[in-house]
Amino acid sequence: MSRIDWTGTGTPAPQKASEKGIWSWMLFDWAAQPFFTVVTTFIFGPYFVARLTADPVSAQAMWSNTATISSVIIALLSPILGSIADQSGARKPWIACFAVIKIASLFGLWFAAPGSPVIYPVMFMILASIAAEFSIVFNDSMMPRLVSKDEVGRLSNTAWGLGYLGGMIVLIAVVGLLAGSLETGTTLFGLNPLFGLDPHTGEDARITGPISAVWYLIFIIPMFLFTPDAAKGLPFAAAVRSGFRQLGNTIDELKLRRGILKFLIARMIYQDGVNGLLILGGTFAAGMFGWATIEIGLYGIILNVVAIFGCVIAGRVDHRIGSKATILISLTLLLLATLGIISTGPGYTLFGLLPMSTADAGGLFGTTAEKAYILYGLLIGVAFGPVQASSRSYLARSVSLEEAGRYFGIYALSGRATSFMATLLFSLMTYASGSARLGMATLLLFLAGGLILLIATPYPADRKQD
């Protein structure tokens, strides 16, 4: 395999890890993304809202509450685990431990049949989400050891794009081979569902849990085999004690490192909006247009195709103009997309300024309003990968190797500390108004607030301001 030109200059950049180690690290995103794509966003989540119970509004609020509980636990424990990992050294044992929890929980989703108690899939989703996010903390903290700071933007966006490709492949397989239409019983490819899966009992959606688990298990193996890890540090008990001390020191240190603190707060705010958009966007469309698994799956495929190209382009943009500018551009696009989504309903868009025919032309996305919704979704596809990948590289450029674990733990905190606010505010607004549209509108506050604060943040974040 030839050496990779991470800089875009035509000359391979000097590397701190082998190409096999770098590609194996990037495969973690490839392995992890199907959980977020087919389970959380496009297949199981909408199934939970639209078909698991007889009350879609209450189910949507329950799904939001599930994300809220997960976010609170992740926010509280991520910085602690990151600090402990800095002291214990190796990250791979932690990733392996949480992989067991994630895989077992995803297999449990198979039993979420229509009419069954919702408490069990809620519990499994909480456990899977927590394990997935904790694994990401440790995986992200490995990134500064692989390439130089100049190259992390390209690396991060490439890995993120690879993740979307993996998620899209699994999504295509689900809607093309496994998910049958409730009307015709056939898949998007016109085939009978493999394994005799019955869409009327939700088997087409429930199977996404085990599929994501097996995919994750297979493709995280190269990272364990080939990606370099930090040397083993303190024994576990000593690492826990030292980790708590270091976390306290880091929190005190942030008072002096004002640039990093500003970035983390800005990221905390805008990531809440991004998380809410990813968690609730598919279920919002399912509730508004009555989309079934095939429609939502195809919508997800469209978004993921666009996201792959978005990450490829953003990798070059990040290298040329920096992570901060890439994030600001992405947030602007997400604001426009969210405005478009909440302004659209059956028969209109742009809050009724542009009325549309309610006639259904037949086939998938048969109404004009559905097509408009997809156009707004394309903006999300372009932006939601780069805003997260370049945030990761923003921090990697701003901290040292020795402090990467605890700062990426705090980074995870900044992505989750108030993310329960986005989903909670959505739930409260939805309950109070009976309108999921008004609930979705609350996401604008988080996206706009984070953007405004980021404008005043130095880049890199550890750069001293005048």
Side-chain angles (χ1 to χ4, degrees), residues 80-122:
I80 297 172
L81 291 175
S83 291
I84 293 172
D86 274 342
Q87 304 307 307
S88 64
R91 272 61 167 169
K92 292 179 183 179
W94 293 93
I95 297 174
C97 175
F98 290 118
V100 172
I101 298 172
K102 178 180 176 180
I103 290 168
S105 300
L106 288 176
F107 270 101
L109 296 181
W110 169 253
F111 301 101
S116 63
V118 298
I119 185 63
Y120 297 113
V122 165

Side-chain angles (χ1 to χ4, degrees), residues 340-353:
I341 284 173
I342 64 175
S343 75
T344 301
Y348 66 88
T349 190
L350 300 179
F351 302 103
L353 295 177

Side-chain angles (χ1 to χ4, degrees), residues 6-30:
W6 291 108
T7 65
T9 62
T11 302
Q15 296 179 354
K16 298 162 68 175
S18 69
E19 289 183 20
K20 184 182 291 186
I22 291 173
W23 279 104
S24 297
W25 180 84
M26 289 195 295
L27 274 179
F28 179 90
D29 282 358
W30 165 280

